[in-house]
Amino acid sequence: MAEIVKAKLPFEKSEMSKSEAKKFFKSAKYKLEIIDELEGDVVTIYKHGDFADLCRGPHIKNTGEIKAFKLLKVAGAYWRGDAKNQMLQRIYGTAFADKKALEDYLKLIEEAEKRDHRVIGTQLDLFSTMEEYGAGLVLWHPKGARIRDAIETFWKEQHYKNGYDILYTPHIGRSTLWDTSGHLSFYKDSMYSSMDIDGQDYYIKPMNCPFHIQIYQKTVHSYRDLPLRWAELGTVYRYEKSGVLMGLLRVRGFTQDDAHIICTPDQVSSEIKEVLRFSLSMWKAFGFTDVKAYLATRPEKAVGEEAQWDRAISALKDAVEQEKLAYELDEGGGAFYGPKIDLKVKDALGREWQMTTIQFDFNLPERFDMNFIGSDGKKQRPYMVHRALLGSLERFFGVLIEHYGGAFPLWLAPVQAKILIISDAQAEYAKKLMSKLRESGLRAELDDRSEKLGLKIREAQLQKVPYMLIIGAKEVEASSVAVRSRNKGDLGAMEIEKFIEMAREEIRSRKSEV
Ligand code: ZN
């Protein structure tokens, strides 16, 4: 690397036809595979010194512009992330225009490793993945499940407040449903194998939409019924290659915080604004305030009329502009069935995560022949928008763990208060205290082992418990607790009622310190 940098080798771009490129890379079988899959007939190649590779570019002008680099690791990686393929050696490295930028990056990597949700997930006993009994399938342990329950409860409250209804739909559906929806023709590779029930073919759902549409189809709708905002914490299963599975971030079974908005063309603009406002308020509640939007427009091949697309895209643009959100336009990057906005949120380390999707759909209303009766008494096609705010609970939980480094704000913490006793003499009092805390809705645990207090405190600290309530003879006598806060240290003795009041207020305000 040092020699290459010193030689200030220029990067030269050239274009070749696919057949020329295949001759050029004749002995590199993986490159030949890639060339075959590239779109169009022209491929670009970058060359410096005697090394050439396929690359879309762009590149810096010459290798001398690299002022700082580091080789990070060497690891085995399956070709295309598929364990059925050959294992290759992958060398990871990074380069920057100056030393400071490299150092900042390395610090970030180190911090990110400490916050790795798989590491913290094990330390705090939050979740595990099934591995040999089902790769990419997540087990939520009691403490992880408490957090999930707090998220779901909040999520449901917020949805009702924002005019949504909540649905529950099945996990499997007959093949004819997926035929009508089109999933079996364009999504089959991601769907899990069929099963036979009474001689009929059933599939596990990769999406919830066709079921929501079934509910819509049960009644005749008038324009007066619209908009309908139907949400579901719907668990779906989609195929992912084994090599790309990653903790909670890439899994094969997950619960989407899904919703479908079915509205009249006139309502599109205000509905999109509402969804976006709602998304941002949810992100804020979970402690994420830095959000960026990515707006994808009509690709060459698309269903639906141009006027529909124009109306949808302008609704999306209006919404991001009204929220004064920074956004990037991805011209032609939309799905064939409609334009969309993706939201990326920045975590405590400044890393961007793609989470929210607000996606128009001109395809399913057509395929299922969805209608409503307009004010003129005539049948009309409604607009349909799919949206997932948090994305999936699994991935969101992974990001949440890394954002907080496992030190969850009080309203999410799996154990909000841990009672520690100095000696067995306080056991009786401590038990009463715990019932009181639990009756007040606090998630409390009692450490009544005959261990030294110092050890119990250290363990509670490692578990990142927000409040420790320490009880000795003095506290029993005064009917109080000595409160120790994760963030603020010793708060001194206080009456239990006062602690409960303080904790409840903190939970209500959903204060979050990262
Ligand atoms: Zn959907």
Side-chain angles (χ1 to χ4, degrees), residues 207-210 256 258-260 361 364 384-387:
M207 294 184 198
N208 306 300
C209 346
Q256 282 185 303
D258 205 1
H260 295 98
D361 192 330
L364 288 181
M384 183 175 177
V385 176
H386 313 254
R387 57 110 270 213

Side-chain angles (χ1 to χ4, degrees), residues 272 276 293-299 309 312-313 315-317 320 327-344 354-362 385-387:
I272 292 297
L276 193 63
Y294 293 78
L295 209 161
T297 63
R298 191 174 209 260
W309 279 80
I313 291 166
L316 292 172
K317 274 189 187 159
V320 284
Y327 75 98
E328 266 178 34
L329 208 56
D330 180 5
E331 288 285 2
F336 75 90
Y337 50 86
K340 65 168 180 174
I341 299 181
D342 286 338
L343 297 183
K344 289 188 185 173
Q354 207 258 286
M355 308 300 278
T356 305
T357 298
I358 303 167
Q359 167 84 60
F360 271 89
D361 192 330
F362 302 130
V385 176
H386 313 254
R387 57 110 270 213

Side-chain angles (χ1 to χ4, degrees), residues 399-410:
V399 172
L400 199 66
I401 293 170
E402 300 204 1
H403 180 58
Y404 287 113
F408 297 102
L410 192 64

